[in-house]
Amino acid sequence: MRTPPGTPPEPGAPGLSDATRGRILFGGDYNPEQWPEETWPEDVRLMKEAGVNSVTLGVFSWARLEPRPGAREFGWLDRLMDLMHEHGIGVVLATPTSSPPPWLGRLHPETLPRDEDGRTEWWGSRQHFSHSSAVYRRRAAAITEDLAARYGAHPALTMWHINNEYCTTDHGDEAAGAFRRWLQDRYGTLGALNTAWGTACWGQSYDDWHEIVPPRHAHYLKNPTQVLDFRRFTSDMLLECCAAERDIVRRHSPAIPVTSNFMPMWVGQDAWRWAAEEDVVSVDLYPDPRDPLGAQYGALVQDMTRSQAAGGSWMLMEQAAGAVSWRTVNHPKPRGLNRLWSLQAVARGADAVCYFQWRASRQGAEKFHSGMIGHAGEPGRGFQEIKEIGAELALLAPHVAGTRVPAGIAILHDWNSWWAGAHEGALSARNDYAEVLRAWHRALWEAHLTTAFAHPEHDLSGYRMVVVPQLYLLTDRAIENLTAYARAGGTLVCGFLTGVADEDDRVRPGGMDERLRDLFGIRTLHEWWPLDPGETAVCDGFTGTLWSEEIEPGPDAVVEARYRGGELDGLPAVLRRGTARYLSTLPEPPALRALLTGAAEQAGVRPVLDELPDGVEAVRRGGLLFLLNHGRDPVTVEVPGSHRDLLGGANVRDRVRLERLGAAVLAP
Ligand code: GAL
């Protein structure tokens, strides 16, 4: 189970290409059990019209498949599988285990998770299962076994979809037992655990394993390493559930790839480790149509997902054709945005563009969530746009499917560091890891520098430049990896609060690991000076936000920018030694962009195109150039030479016009 991060897929293992077979998968979650059976033929007719070639079935159908303990009702699914096959539509078949039937909770209340305050999460919604419950696991395995036995050889089956967005926690008693076993496995002895957790503080030492419980409602700040280990444990437990189901379906259908859909940038799963256990990496992505940086957020998640797929193709399992139903205010997508963001996913490596869901529901919690067919039905704008997208993806498929997206820069990201840095006793509650990561990715995205993501222990030698927005916790191995990379001439740019803690969240002597201080030319890190909301730090040539640090440079450090005024007057804000730079603040967006662009230039990494109009994104995939206009006005983009626009079919010479929210995909 402990596959190291970044492990490439085993040779001969099935992958996304076994499901796509040269196409781009297009379709979505199909929940026909919510509709009378008479609508199914109509659904299929419309799917064919829209170019749908893939549907995801069964995601929440446990109660339908097993209405009472041990019963099996497969007839409806038999008919659906056959119907799909008859019409050449592939099925991504889900194990239904993310929403157990009400009888399971009634007969076995221990399958229901408890939150930190001891409150039970009841049925009546979804995801009400405890990852540690033996009964849940047994029942989940049984229904998965029967599903896999029945459909593992069905000709419509193209992929297995395990559970749905694993994301639950459990602080209850059965989870407490599993947590203890996990800790015994990690530490061996209570002495080692007490040392790792620093239980000498506040008299927390444990003398018996049974004294250990998950972090629960407590009077004051909780032990940070206990909380960190609980997050690690939770991610591992969910992965155990996922792997158990994966192993069952694999036994019945070894040639069918397996996935489990990630939530984008979800804090609860160490997705590096998860991805290494899957045949296909898939993600659900719902940027806010009103967010001016929605496209950048999308690009970040797409770059991350592609990197989890070891740089290969990945699957956009879910997106919305229009509005979602879980924001405070749910806005639809203006005309063109669904197409634009779908093309963006393809540009950044997706070989599958799918939706939640095929048909907007009339009942249930998500009745106002858009569908590929909305409440307006066939004549609705949404469905008309879906048809256009389906046709375009079919056009693009022969040119893009299976091709790769070159990226010269790696952004380092690690869940352990995110978890540890988020502790309630942190230096500043304003220091939001995900926001800092996003700020750095944004700077590179706006500079048209294509990025990959990497784990700090990955082999970095393939990248000309590596950036570390913030890795508060770094293992010794990661530190050796980073220092070796820079010493071998790699360009490294590192943000504040990096290398502070070791694997157990113990502060490193000197407040930052000595090897890193030496690398960046930091003699002493005297104090951290986090900034208040609205407070800024004036630096040479730019304004710093969020953070500042009192650093004394070593003799051979080059101070590239200093703080001006205030307590830190004259001290370094940006420090460089050789090819390694350290930023002790978060420069405002244009300054961070300029800084990273400068470093990239020195590293010999070029933007995809120079001089693009504002709001235009350019990405290369395979031999193609994707141009995406996120702006609300038409623009003209200079593209020297002659090209063919695969979308419009026109020949393009030297420049191409992009409509509002328009796109071009240029082939040589
Ligand atoms: C996803 C989930 C889907 C649906 C969708 C709505 O998180 O997997 O089942 O709820 O969100 O946006």
Side-chain angles (χ1 to χ4, degrees):
M1 194 77 267
R2 294 273 159 96
T3 314
T7 309
E10 279 175 34
L16 184 52
S17 59
D18 292 291
T20 59
R21 295 187 211 109
R23 301 161 306 168
I24 293 176
L25 295 188
F26 182 61
D29 280 29
Y30 180 34
N31 296 307
E33 60 270 44
Q34 295 180 14
W35 299 88
E37 208 159 322
E38 300 79 73
T39 58
W40 299 0
E42 174 68 354
D43 280 333
V44 171
R45 178 184 73 76
L46 293 172
M47 284 176 188
K48 297 303 289 178
E49 206 176 308
V52 165
N53 55 28
S54 177
V55 291
T56 302
L57 287 179
V59 178
F60 300 112
S61 0
W62 194 346
R64 180 80 190 256
L65 294 168
E66 188 176 4
R68 61 207 71 82
R72 292 291 181 264
E73 291 199 0
F74 284 128
W76 64 280
L77 193 50
D78 291 350
R79 292 195 291 284
L80 269 167
M81 294 291 288
D82 293 347
L83 183 68
M84 292 302 133
H85 178 56
E86 213 178 291
H87 291 89
I89 298 170
V91 174
V92 176
L93 187 56
T95 63
T97 51
S98 72
S99 189
W103 59 256
L104 186 67
R106 187 170 75 89
L107 297 178
H108 301 283
E110 73 277 19
T111 60
L112 302 171
R114 299 281 171 96
D115 72 7
E116 272 187 325
D117 298 328
R119 290 177 309 182
T120 301
E121 290 186 357
W122 292 89
W123 60 90
S125 179
R126 63 183 198 188
Q127 281 143 335
H128 47 282
F129 66 90
S130 163
H131 49 59
S132 296
S133 157
V135 172
Y136 165 75
R137 286 190 181 203
R138 208 169 44 243
R139 292 289 187 173
I143 188 69
T144 300
E145 181 76 45
D146 289 357
L147 200 69
R150 194 168 187 97
Y151 302 110
H154 195 285
L157 180 70
T158 58
M159 205 185 300
W160 285 107
H161 175 302
I162 306 294
N163 199 279
N164 188 67
E165 294 188 338
Y166 276 105
C167 60
T168 56
T169 55
D170 182 19
H171 300 251
D173 290 341
E174 202 168 352
F179 187 37
R180 278 175 217 125
R181 286 191 292 281
W182 184 93
L183 291 166
Q184 280 164 349
D185 202 32
R186 183 175 176 88
Y187 295 111
T189 66
L190 266 183
L193 177 138
N194 279 313
T195 306
W197 285 16
T199 53
C201 172
W202 293 354
Q204 293 172 349
S205 316
Y206 294 96
D207 191 46
D208 186 311
W209 286 100
H210 288 96
E211 293 163 1
I212 299 175
V213 288
R216 289 178 177 165
H217 182 86
H219 179 71
Y220 189 40
L221 305 180
K222 293 178 193 121
N223 181 303
T225 316
Q226 179 188 7
V227 174
L228 171 61
D229 274 346
F230 188 69
R231 287 188 184 264
R232 289 171 169 150
F233 155 79
T234 300
S235 176
D236 282 1
M237 283 299 102
L238 293 171
L239 182 50
E240 256 185 37
C241 291
C242 178
E245 294 184 22
R246 176 204 62 194
D247 291 348
I248 294 170
V249 300
R250 264 194 193 156
R251 212 170 0 88
H252 289 277
S253 45
I256 299 291
V258 186
T259 191
S260 181
N261 50 341
F262 291 148
M263 284 200 264
M265 275 298 288
W266 170 243
V267 67
Q269 263 171 326
D270 182 345
W272 289 122
R273 287 166 58 104
W274 279 67
E277 299 285 342
E278 300 183 316
D279 299 321
V280 171
V281 182
S282 62
V283 76
D284 303 341
L285 176 57
Y286 296 96
D288 185 346
R290 283 282 174 102
D291 178 355
L293 285 169
Q296 181 264 321
Y297 173 69
L300 182 156
V301 171
Q302 293 158 10
D303 290 345
M304 176 89 76
T305 309
R306 187 184 66 251
S307 306
Q308 284 155 356
S313 304
W314 53 278
M315 176 168 192
L316 178 56
M317 182 67 82
E318 294 179 18
Q319 62 170 343
V324 298
S325 59
W326 39 262
R327 290 201 166 92
T328 316
V329 181
N330 296 297
H331 297 287
K333 286 183 171 167
R335 168 172 279 286
L337 192 61
N338 181 10
R339 169 187 185 244
L340 186 67
W341 284 357
S342 299
L343 290 171
Q344 184 193 35
V346 175
R348 292 186 179 269
D351 275 356
V353 174
C354 299
Y355 293 79
F356 178 84
Q357 58 178 330
W358 163 247
R359 204 185 255 287
S361 303
R362 291 185 56 208
Q363 289 185 292
E366 297 186 306
K367 61 184 180 294
F368 292 121
H369 196 290
S370 58
M372 297 171 83
I373 301 197
H375 292 303
E378 193 178 348
R381 166 170 75 81
F383 184 64
Q384 297 309 314
E385 289 186 64
I386 285 287
K387 285 198 292 188
E388 289 160 23
I389 297 167
E392 286 190 335
L393 295 181
L395 263 179
L396 288 181
H399 305 272
V400 289
T403 62
R404 292 176 83 90
V405 179
I409 301 176
I411 302 177
L412 301 194
H413 162 63
D414 177 31
W415 269 269
N416 286 270
S417 184
W418 186 0
W419 293 334
H423 186 258
E424 49 190 346
L427 284 156
S428 164
R430 289 192 62 231
N431 173 39
D432 177 335
Y433 173 86
E435 286 303 312
V436 173
L437 195 73
R438 196 168 163 181
W440 282 59
H441 180 273
R442 172 187 171 183
L444 294 161
W445 181 78
E446 286 178 340
H448 313 295
L449 291 160
T450 311
T451 52
F453 282 82
H455 184 276
E457 292 178 12
H458 280 175
D459 175 9
L460 303 173
S461 58
Y463 299 104
R464 283 172 173 268
M465 175 160 139
V466 168
V467 304
V468 182
Q470 180 174 111
L471 286 174
Y472 159 83
L473 178 155
L474 279 174
T475 61
D476 284 328
R477 206 171 135 193
I479 290 171
E480 298 296 342
N481 196 33
L482 281 187
T483 48
Y485 172 79
R487 297 242 149 84
T491 297
L492 177 68
V493 188
C494 198
F496 64 85
L497 210 66
T498 289
V500 173
D502 69 11
E503 203 169 348
D504 298 331
D505 195 10
R506 186 183 291 107
V507 176
R508 301 245 181 207
M512 180 190 206
D513 183 82
E514 194 184 356
R515 289 159 290 185
L516 288 178
R517 274 186 282 129
D518 182 56
L519 185 73
F520 299 120
I522 297 172
R523 174 182 282 149
T524 313
L525 169 55
H526 290 286
E527 298 282 355
W528 296 284
W529 290 78
L531 303 178
D532 274 330
E535 189 184 356
T536 53
V538 179
C539 306
D540 290 325
F542 67 89
T543 305
T545 65
L546 198 60
W547 205 263
S548 56
E549 286 176 356
E550 188 176 341
I551 285 176
E552 193 181 319
D556 39 8
V558 179
V559 180
E560 295 193 322
R562 292 177 194 276
Y563 293 103
R564 296 296 174 194
E567 293 289 339
L568 306 184
D569 188 33
L571 295 182
V574 180
L575 202 64
R576 181 174 63 77
R577 186 169 178 218
T579 55
R581 263 192 193 78
Y582 183 72
L583 277 59
S584 65
T585 183
L586 181 66
E588 281 188 327
L592 185 59
R593 184 167 71 231
L595 213 141
L596 294 181
T597 311
E601 238 171 75
Q602 285 162 15
V605 189
R606 303 278 317 129
V608 175
L609 279 184
D610 292 312
E611 310 287 328
L612 280 163
D614 276 355
V616 174
E617 174 179 1
V619 190
R620 283 190 199 283
R621 181 175 180 192
L624 305 180
L625 174 64
F626 284 73
L627 295 169
L628 309 163
N629 179 17
H630 298 291
R632 301 300 155 102
D633 293 308
V635 290
T636 299
V637 181
E638 306 290 326
V639 277
S642 55
H643 319 261
R644 194 159 53 89
D645 183 356
L646 296 180
L647 297 179
N651 286 328
V652 167
R653 192 161 191 89
D654 295 334
R655 60 190 56 84
V656 60
R657 181 182 151 93
L658 305 177
E659 298 305 329
R660 154 195 196 276
L661 300 178
V665 180
L666 303 185

